[in-house]
Amino acid sequence: QVHLVESGGGLVQAGGSLRLSCAASGRTFSNYAMAWFRQAPGKEREFVAVVIRSGGDTYHADSVKGRFIISRDNAKDTVYLQMNSLKLEDTAVYYCAASARSEVVVTQSAYAYWGQGTQVTVSS
């Protein structure tokens, strides 16, 4: 079992920045690919970004590419999402998730463990 707890969400003006953190506990953190997903009001949950076990490879959704950066610190059992140049449409609940897969995966079904989510609200 992997327990995930997100933090760092909040209210920010458009154009601003936030950094989300997700602390993991339970099994060996470095054995899991880690990802961020988000769900906006009235919409389905969507993929945002993923980082593989070693942190050596990442993949970002087109909607956030160039603005968001995913990273991980295996010594701290934590994955981060640095969000810059935030837009109104980035408003959502952000979830981190863990997958035992070794490659980059973007499908939700590949992720067995999920956090409770943290709210990010971008205002004009």
Side-chain angles (χ1 to χ4, degrees), residues 39-60:
Q39 186 167 20
K43 296 187 177 181
E44 294 187 352
R45 190 159 56 185
E46 64 176 2
F47 167 80
V48 175
V50 60
V51 57
I52 63 171
R53 297 171 179 177
S54 67
D57 195 12
T58 62
Y59 180 76
H60 297 76

Side-chain angles (χ1 to χ4, degrees), residues 33-115:
M34 298 299 298
W36 289 94
F37 291 80
R38 67 185 181 185
Q39 186 167 20
K43 296 187 177 181
E44 294 187 352
R45 190 159 56 185
E46 64 176 2
F47 167 80
V48 175
V50 60
V51 57
I52 63 171
R53 297 171 179 177
S54 67
D57 195 12
T58 62
Y59 180 76
H60 297 76
D62 287 344
S63 59
V64 305
K65 200 168 293 183
R67 300 188 299 121
F68 291 11
I69 301 172
I70 189 171
S71 63
R72 66 189 296 160
D73 186 338
N74 286 346
K76 295 183 178 180
D77 293 352
T78 302
V79 61
Y80 305 97
L81 186 68
Q82 178 66 44
M83 305 187 295
N84 302 319
S85 302
L86 282 160
K87 304 177 180 179
L88 297 179
E89 53 264 41
D90 294 320
T91 294
V93 176
Y94 284 72
Y95 299 89
C96 71
S99 170
R101 300 273 289 272
S102 59
E103 69 276 24
V104 168
V105 287
V106 303
T107 53
Q108 297 183 47
S109 60
Y111 291 84
Y113 304 103
W114 293 80

